[in-house]
Amino acid sequence: MKSYRLVKTYFLEKLHLVIIGIICLISVDMIQLFIPRIIKRAVDDLTAFQADTRSLLTYALFIIAAAICIGILRYFWRRCLIGTSRRIEEGLRNRLFSHIQTLSASYFDKTKTGDLMAHATNDIANVRMATGMGIVAATDAVFLGTAAVGFMCYINVRLTIFALIPMPLIAFCAKYFSKRMHKMYRRVQGAFADMTEVVRERFSGIRIVKAYNLEEDSERRMEESSKYCIRQNLALVRITGSFFPLMILFTNLSLAAVVFLGGRQTITTDITSGDFVAFINYLNLMTWPMMALGWVTNLIQRGAASLDRIDKILKTQPEIKQPEKAVSDMPEEGGIRFENVSYSYESGSSPALSRICFEIAKGQTLGIVGPPGSGKTTLLNLLPRLYDVEEGAIQIGGTDIRSMKLEDLRDRISFVAQEPFLFSGTVRDNLLFGNPGADEEKLVEAAEMAVFHDEIRELPNGYQTIVGEKGVILSGGQKQRLALARAFIRESSVLLLDDPVSQVDMDTGSAIIDTIRSLEGHKTIFIASHRLSALRHADRILVMEKGMIRNSGTHEQLMEGDDYYSRTFRLQEMEEAKNAF
Ligand code: ADP
Ligand code: MG
């Protein structure tokens, strides 16, 4: 119930609309209750042989006027109440999105994107239903229900009691069935999502499917998931199919009681024929509020549960926080120092980095080598605080990075991740992510630095070419160079490169390394690479093993003093020589 405050602000913001909506809704109910009164008059006139064309026409016109008013007012309550619930949906969704964005990388390691999508769709839809249709159903159940009972009692109390006996059945049934229907509906949605996922995955992996002759396997999977989808749909149909006939049965039980008992009361003139007909009309009006009564409790329960789940996410604090008191006069310049840094992804597991110590002066280049899994990527991730050190500290220019404003810290860093990630959009858009204010000249310069400009020009639309989902139309090497250019375009003093030449050929790789060397002195550069020739000019090279620095020094020193380094370097040199022929 506490999470109710999440929607309160939106309600208050649109309070006038909610009030207008509820007034319209109640007006519709009142007009609906008024119609049986007109019918009663008409029937009484007819049975007393007092009706003439004029009076009948008046009654008919009244009914038409009522119908028109109902139509107009329904439009308005929908606009006001359902509109407000849509506003709540929008507000919650945006809030959830911006909050989730602030959460740390480790949160995303643990949480499945699918779960987040489910919160963003199902939970928010539940809240929308509870705040929109929930209010409508509750108002109708309370107002239309009691008013109709009142009118019925006004005609005859005893008859009302008999007619209402089956009504609780309708409410209970509606509650039971709407719960089941919702559950089944979710399963149908789930089955449909699974089926869509099969299609998406099989088509995005179509090259592997063809190369491995997996067409039949794909077809079988598709058949299975579409069969499952149909089964779920049929299960839903079984429930909806029995719900409505049951409702009609219960209503007709009441109707039977009224025809029999009310008919007798009409004969004994306890009630008039008009009352008899009006009574039946009120009985029909009662069905919806009774169903609404059952439905609304489910809507509200579901909405509340969803709201709690959303609230829980909103209360999750990002692990990486802004410092409480950020350093205001940040040193413009300075080297980078790792002081006894340790980090493990999960507490208790063996550390991905342990007791890393080194220092590198501003404008120098640091190379990091080591077998896969030795902690190179982890080390780079710690600098922009994608993860926070567990022990020890990292300093830039003598200031602990945890006491800098996150934006200030990240503004100083250009980062090229191991897996280049491109957003769908044009080549130009992807470059500009690095520096939205860059002009054309800068754009071209950065592309040239990444040895990519000429190839971009050969693309069908040059810089305006759409790269597609995650950059599908580009080769691995092209993606990598686009990611590099994106880092070069950024005006930053620190450059972090995680295996920047892993996917390009030797010559392109050498050209890129030349670019990186030309930045020496201007930027502090970290390069992790398994291609040792890319690092040989670094001012200092760390040789990593199992999260520790096993050796460090210049290329020459390591060739002398480190077996792993010198062996790997010679092997790679031979390999490169072989490839050159
Ligand atoms: P490298 O870049 O040298 O190949 P990494 O820094 O990627 O090494 O990995 C170091 C260790 O941390 C490995 O044992 C790896 O399994 C582990 N690791 C890396 N990323 C994660 C993660 N997101 N969650 C849990 N463990 C991770
Ligand atoms: Mg790595």
Side-chain angles (χ1 to χ4, degrees):
M1 260 295 129
K2 260 195 223 139
S3 46
Y4 165 73
R5 73 196 146 62
L6 282 180
V7 289
K8 197 170 119 191
T9 38
Y10 303 111
F11 263 123
L12 291 181
E13 180 191 309
K14 300 271 171 185
L15 194 61
H16 56 293
L17 287 185
V18 175
I19 291 173
I20 294 174
I22 291 181
I23 291 174
C24 289
L25 187 60
I26 291 179
S27 310
V28 168
D29 290 348
M30 290 209 294
I31 299 172
Q32 276 183 310
L33 290 162
F34 176 64
I35 292 176
R37 303 298 308 162
I38 304 175
I39 297 173
K40 172 200 150 63
R41 287 279 199 87
V43 173
D44 281 346
D45 284 1
L46 283 169
T47 45
F49 300 106
Q50 278 174 355
D52 54 22
T53 317
R54 237 186 98 88
S55 66
L56 286 179
L57 191 65
T58 317
Y59 293 138
L61 286 177
F62 262 121
I63 289 180
I64 291 174
I68 291 173
C69 286
I70 288 177
I72 294 171
L73 290 168
R74 273 218 174 113
Y75 170 80
F76 279 108
W77 76 242
R78 278 205 154 260
R79 282 269 330 238
C80 295
L81 295 178
I82 305 297
T84 302
S85 73
R86 288 281 174 190
R87 165 75 191 107
I88 291 173
E89 179 183 37
E90 181 206 6
L92 272 184
R93 191 188 297 125
N94 292 345
R95 207 169 142 190
L96 197 61
F97 182 83
S98 26
H99 177 76
I100 293 176
Q101 249 199 151
T102 68
L103 295 179
S104 320
S106 56
Y107 179 82
F108 292 92
D109 287 345
K110 285 178 230 130
T111 316
K112 283 189 275 179
T113 318
D115 288 348
L116 293 178
M117 299 278 286
H119 289 303
T121 48
N122 295 335
D123 281 337
I124 289 176
N126 286 346
V127 175
R128 186 195 75 222
M129 283 299 282
T131 50
M133 281 319 282
I135 290 186
V136 174
T139 311
D140 276 350
V142 173
F143 184 80
L144 189 59
T146 43
V149 172
F151 275 97
M152 285 157 82
C153 285
Y154 175 69
I155 295 173
N156 190 287
V157 176
R158 208 165 73 93
L159 188 56
T160 308
I161 293 171
F162 279 104
L164 288 186
I165 289 173
M167 286 294 162
L169 285 176
I170 295 184
F172 281 120
C173 236
K175 184 166 163 52
Y176 173 77
F177 275 91
S178 76
K179 204 172 199 161
R180 290 287 306 272
M181 275 194 267
H182 180 76
K183 215 179 195 168
M184 290 311 302
Y185 186 65
R186 287 287 286 274
R187 269 192 218 160
V188 167
Q189 273 183 320
F192 187 74
D194 287 348
M195 191 169 74
T196 321
E197 178 56 23
V198 172
V199 177
R200 194 199 61 76
E201 194 191 58
R202 292 283 149 161
F203 284 161
S204 65
I206 191 74
R207 288 158 198 90
I208 305 290
V209 169
K210 285 187 187 297
Y212 285 78
N213 281 328
L214 291 175
E215 286 91 344
E216 274 182 28
D217 177 75
S218 296
E219 271 163 35
R220 216 188 47 246
R221 260 167 213 254
M222 187 61 204
E223 267 168 34
E224 271 168 22
S225 59
S226 78
K227 237 190 217 132
Y228 181 72
C229 202
I230 298 270
R231 268 209 305 279
Q232 298 306 322
N233 268 301
L234 285 179
L236 177 63
V237 167
R238 272 201 293 280
I239 295 181
T240 46
S242 41
F243 175 61
F244 292 103
L246 262 178
M247 290 294 114
I248 291 169
L249 176 70
F250 294 143
T251 317
N252 282 340
L253 283 181
S254 293
L255 186 61
V258 171
V259 169
F260 181 68
L261 295 170
R264 284 208 325 202
Q265 284 175 327
T266 315
I267 294 170
T268 57
T269 65
D270 282 335
I271 59 174
T272 67
S273 307
D275 284 334
F276 179 67
V277 177
F279 200 94
I280 291 174
N281 272 287
Y282 284 123
L283 195 61
N284 279 332
L285 279 180
M286 279 297 292
T287 317
W288 159 240
M290 282 297 135
M291 277 165 57
L293 198 62
W295 192 40
V296 74
T297 50
N298 287 345
L299 280 182
I300 296 206
Q301 274 170 4
R302 224 154 39 220
S306 288
L307 210 51
D308 282 343
R309 279 194 291 272
I310 292 171
D311 193 38
K312 200 173 140 209
I313 299 185
L314 290 176
K315 282 208 184 104
T316 312
Q317 292 289 329
E319 274 171 37
I320 311 279
K321 285 199 213 81
Q322 292 282 10
E324 275 169 20
K325 243 185 91 200
V327 216
S328 48
D329 50 345
M330 288 253 301
E332 261 313 304
E333 322 264 298
I336 296 175
R337 186 177 145 95
F338 273 56
E339 214 177 70
N340 249 326
V341 169
S342 296
Y343 181 78
S344 35
Y345 284 96
E346 274 158 69
S347 52
S349 66
S350 62
L353 286 180
S354 56
R355 293 192 307 270
I356 302 292
C357 284
F358 65 86
E359 188 167 2
I360 174 120
K362 178 191 172 281
Q364 286 202 321
T365 302
L366 178 80
I368 309 167
V369 297
S374 55
K376 305 182 292 294
T377 300
T378 310
L379 195 155
L380 295 182
N381 281 344
L382 292 181
L383 255 174
R385 292 188 72 197
L386 295 182
Y387 299 91
D388 256 352
V389 300
E390 209 165 62
E391 277 169 45
I394 301 174
Q395 295 169 349
I396 299 183
T399 310
D400 191 317
I401 55 171
R402 281 169 297 185
S403 57
M404 298 179 181
K405 259 172 79 182
L406 274 174
E407 299 79 42
D408 286 347
L409 170 69
R410 290 174 182 165
D411 266 348
R412 305 178 152 222
I413 299 175
S414 296
F415 187 45
V416 178
Q418 191 166 7
E419 291 294 327
F421 187 92
L422 304 186
F423 295 93
S424 50
T426 61
V427 170
R428 193 166 186 279
D429 295 338
N430 268 289
L431 281 171
L432 286 180
F433 277 120
N435 181 357
D439 56 21
E440 223 47 44
E441 206 178 321
K442 275 227 178 82
L443 216 66
V444 173
E445 190 194 355
E448 274 171 348
M449 284 168 79
V451 200
F452 194 28
H453 175 66
D454 293 338
E455 272 175 65
I456 295 178
R457 286 229 310 236
E458 280 166 21
L459 291 172
N461 290 312
Y463 280 84
Q464 298 298 345
T465 307
I466 307 258
V467 299
E469 199 182 330
K470 289 189 197 160
V472 276
I473 71 145
L474 300 178
S475 73
Q478 288 175 326
K479 272 188 263 193
Q480 192 162 42
R481 278 173 289 156
L482 183 45
L484 267 168
R486 179 160 69 192
F488 290 145
I489 207 170
R490 196 171 167 87
E491 277 151 15
S492 59
S493 56
V494 180
L495 187 57
L496 305 181
L497 306 168
D498 198 351
D499 233 346
V501 289
S502 59
Q503 302 190 44
V504 296
D505 61 73
M506 277 298 153
D507 291 341
T508 316
S510 308
I512 292 172
I513 296 299
D514 286 344
T515 302
I516 296 170
R517 287 193 66 193
S518 73
L519 295 172
E520 274 171 22
H522 305 286
K523 292 182 188 239
T524 313
I525 305 173
F526 283 48
I527 317 180
S529 178
H530 68 273
R531 200 185 286 177
L532 301 193
S533 58
L535 307 174
R536 64 182 296 177
H537 306 285
D539 297 291
R540 186 159 174 210
I541 301 168
L542 307 180
V543 184
M544 306 273 301
E545 187 181 58
K546 294 187 183 141
M548 284 184 276
I549 299 178
R550 110 191 202 136
N551 225 330
S552 80
T554 59
H555 171 73
E556 287 72 26
Q557 288 166 342
L558 291 171
M559 284 302 281
E560 292 269 313
D562 194 278
D563 285 349
Y564 167 81
Y565 187 88
S566 53
R567 201 160 21 94
T568 317
F569 187 81
R570 293 228 170 78
L571 274 173
Q572 286 186 359
E573 216 173 22
M574 277 175 356
E575 190 98 345
E576 283 165 26
K578 204 167 68 194
N579 287 342
F581 283 111

